[in-house]
């Protein structure tokens, strides 16, 4: 497949600046997604987290994984359908994510039944796992 560029990412996700955490989807295959988030020093959270040592908050890495998870359902959802975060299990943060990093987001759909779904996710920088979590979500009309 061709990558899904930001213009089409914005057609899928309801989020807008400063909360879009997926810049591009590189692949979708058999319910597995590989997307990227380019982490820049211009992110609005860096001046406060932390001024002397900018670090991407774990909660935003988790949000990036949740947003990437929605692409596991690419082409299966009706227009206007939104995925709502319903839970996070086993979240672990292994290393800092800093400006200049390219966050590779991997999500695999475990199940989707009656509007409830689950993905196993990991985030990597330079091939090293920086975070992992299981994301639970509910799908409904936005």
């Amino acid at each position: 497949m061709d990558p899904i560029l930001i213009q089409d990412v914005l057609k899928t996700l309801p989020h807008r600046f400063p909360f879009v955490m997926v810049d591009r989807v590189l692949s979708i295959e058999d319910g597995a997604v590989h997307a990227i988030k380019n982490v820049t020093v211009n992110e609005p959270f860096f001046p406060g987290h932390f001024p002397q040592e900018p670090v991407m908050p774990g909660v935003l890495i988790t949000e990036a994984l949740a947003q990437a998870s929605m692409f596991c359902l690419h082409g299966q959802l009706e227009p206007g359908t939104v995925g709502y975060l319903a839970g996070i299990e086993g979240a672990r943060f292994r290393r800092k994510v800093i400006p200049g990093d390219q966050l590779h987001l991997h999500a695999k759909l475990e199940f989707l039944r009656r509007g409830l779904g689950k993905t196993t996710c990991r985030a990597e920088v330079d091939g090293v796992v920086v975070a992992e979590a299981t994301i639970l979500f509910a799908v409904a009309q936005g």
Side-chain angles (χ1 to χ4, degrees):
M1 70 163 261
D2 289 332
I4 299 172
L5 305 180
I6 189 63
Q7 297 86 346
D8 291 321
V9 166
L10 294 173
K11 290 176 185 174
T12 300
L13 296 176
H15 307 83
R16 293 297 175 263
F17 178 83
F19 220 67
V20 177
M21 299 288 162
V22 173
D23 291 320
R24 182 173 290 180
V25 177
L26 299 177
S27 67
I28 303 171
E29 188 176 325
D30 299 326
V33 168
H34 179 193
I36 57 172
K37 162 70 175 144
N38 294 307
V39 182
T40 73
V41 74
N42 296 322
E43 305 286 350
F45 49 81
F46 281 138
H49 197 269
F50 301 100
Q52 285 72 33
E53 182 186 7
V55 175
M56 185 174 184
V59 68
L60 294 180
I61 296 169
T62 305
E63 175 64 26
L65 290 168
Q67 289 182 23
S69 291
M70 291 314 301
F71 289 91
C72 291
L73 307 173
H74 188 69
Q76 300 176 40
L77 299 177
E78 296 178 26
T81 303
V82 176
Y84 295 98
L85 185 62
I88 303 164
E89 297 175 347
R92 297 286 180 265
F93 304 96
R94 311 259 180 233
R95 119 175 198 332
K96 295 185 287 189
V97 175
I98 60 173
D101 283 345
Q102 188 174 63
L103 201 56
H104 286 259
L105 309 166
H106 299 272
K108 175 132 179 62
L109 183 66
E110 298 300 327
F111 71 82
L112 177 64
R113 288 185 220 107
R114 293 180 291 218
L116 298 174
K118 178 178 180 178
T119 55
T120 53
C121 305
R122 76 181 184 284
E124 299 177 350
V125 173
D126 297 328
V128 175
V129 175
V130 296
E132 49 197 346
T134 299
I135 305 289
L136 306 168
F137 60 92
V139 177
Q141 284 298 106

